[in-house]
Each structure stands twice: as structure tokens, then as C-alpha cells.
Amino acid sequence: KTKEFEEKFKSKVGAQAALALNSCTAGLHLAMVLHKIGPEDEVITTPMTFCATANVIEHQGGNVVLADVDPETLLINPIEIEKKISKKTKVILPVHYAGHPCDMDTINRMAKKHGVAVVEDAAHCMPSKIGDKWVGSGSNLALFSFYANKNMTTGEGGMMTGPQALVDEARVLALHGMSH
């Protein structure tokens, strides 16, 4: 059933790969591991989020850097992200909130310009589109939640979407090193 759910989710959002997990938090933590966040590394995120977004950064020894939100959208403001980027920035972690996706075109361009990764916290963003593409269909890792208070729920659980190689690596990590 889990494999079937992964395949259907992947197909629905148009992602390269999908990995079902016990929670969105677990997926966010795996994303920080995959991007090798550790001491001295900075991850830029928003204060308008559940504490798990910041906790997974700290669990890896990284430093949380908060970029303020746009007061009209309540989403992370790309102008504020740009102000916070430093030589220590390794990941930008925008949070799509209340079904509204962040300005990913601007954030992705900025990340590319500075050579940093983007991980999308999409816990509150299923189903949503940016233009004609579903959130979770791009080249970033995106993490979804199916907790009881979400738009789409299984009572608990999460899903990671993203590039096949990263999701395959996350699958092994999620299984404590087992590949099958």
C-alpha cells in the first residue's frame, strides 16, 4: 500500500520520485542530513512556521537564520532572504503556508546565484500549484504532511518528493542503511 501511495502521489504532482515517511518532520530532518547540515552551516527559513522546521536544523548542529515574511502574504520574503545570505548559508528552507506557495521562481534564482540548496516545507500545501505545476514537482526536495490537521490527511505521515537520486538516498537513510 505504501509503494502504491508513493507512486500515485509522485504521479499526481509530477515529481521524479516520492518517499512516504512517518512524518513531514522526519522528511525535513532527512533533507538536512542529505544536504550535510552541520556546525557552522546556516539554513535560512521563516519564523512563520511550526517549530519542527527550525528544530531539524538544530538537530543537525546547524544555525537557524530567520528571514521575515511579507506582511500581506505571510510567506517568507525573498528580499529578506537575500539580506540574510552569507558564506555560511547552505540551504534556504521556505515554508508554503495555508495552501499558498512561496515565490519559488525568485527563491530558486537566488539560491542558484549563491550556490545554495533549496528545501521546500510544503506541510501545509497539498494540493497547490505554482502556475501550471504542482508544488513538489520541481528539482528541490519538498516535504508534505498528512497529519490530522492538514488538507490531505492519513492521520499521520509525510511524503518527500524530489530528484530521484536524492530521494533514493533518503530511502536508505530512512531505513537505517538498508536498501531493500
Side-chain angles (χ1 to χ4, degrees):
K1 293 286 184 190
T2 302
K3 283 285 188 199
E4 181 182 352
F5 183 40
E6 288 174 346
E7 287 300 315
K8 286 184 175 181
F9 194 92
K10 176 180 93 168
S11 178
K12 172 66 178 174
V13 302
Q16 282 186 27
L19 170 63
L21 297 158
N22 68 334
S23 67
C24 182
T25 303
L28 288 166
H29 183 231
L30 283 172
M32 295 303 105
V33 172
L34 290 168
H35 288 296
K36 299 176 179 25
I37 297 303
E40 305 298 318
D41 295 328
E42 294 179 349
V43 178
I44 299 172
T45 193
T46 172
M48 186 70 173
T49 187
F50 183 63
C51 61
T53 308
N55 289 348
V56 299
I57 299 162
E58 291 188 347
H59 285 310
Q60 288 303 110
N63 297 304
V64 177
V65 176
L66 298 175
D68 210 351
V69 299
D70 178 314
E72 295 205 17
T73 66
L74 301 180
L75 300 171
I76 194 167
N77 186 334
I79 295 167
E80 296 300 318
I81 294 171
E82 185 82 46
K83 292 177 186 176
K84 302 288 182 159
I85 291 177
S86 77
K87 292 176 185 164
K88 294 181 180 183
T89 304
K90 208 162 186 182
V91 173
I92 299 170
L93 179 51
V95 177
H96 305 302
Y97 184 69
H100 299 285
C102 297
D103 180 355
M104 293 312 301
D105 288 340
T106 302
I107 293 169
N108 286 329
R109 274 194 308 275
M110 188 181 315
K112 186 175 181 178
K113 172 183 162 188
H114 292 282
V116 300
V118 176
V119 172
E120 299 176 46
D121 181 334
H124 276 272
C125 208
M126 180 62 194
S128 292
K129 287 185 172 182
I130 300 173
D132 62 349
K133 295 189 184 222
W134 291 102
V135 168
S137 66
S139 60
N140 302 324
L141 289 176
L143 294 308
F144 298 87
S145 176
F146 306 125
Y147 190 68
N149 65 350
K150 300 303 189 278
N151 294 342
M152 180 177 158
T153 184
T154 59
E156 184 58 271
M159 188 73 73
M160 172 186 282
T161 63
Q164 187 72 54
L166 279 176
V167 173
D168 287 347
E169 189 177 347
R171 186 177 304 280
V172 172
L173 290 170
L175 294 172
H176 305 276
M178 296 187 305
S179 60
H180 61 278

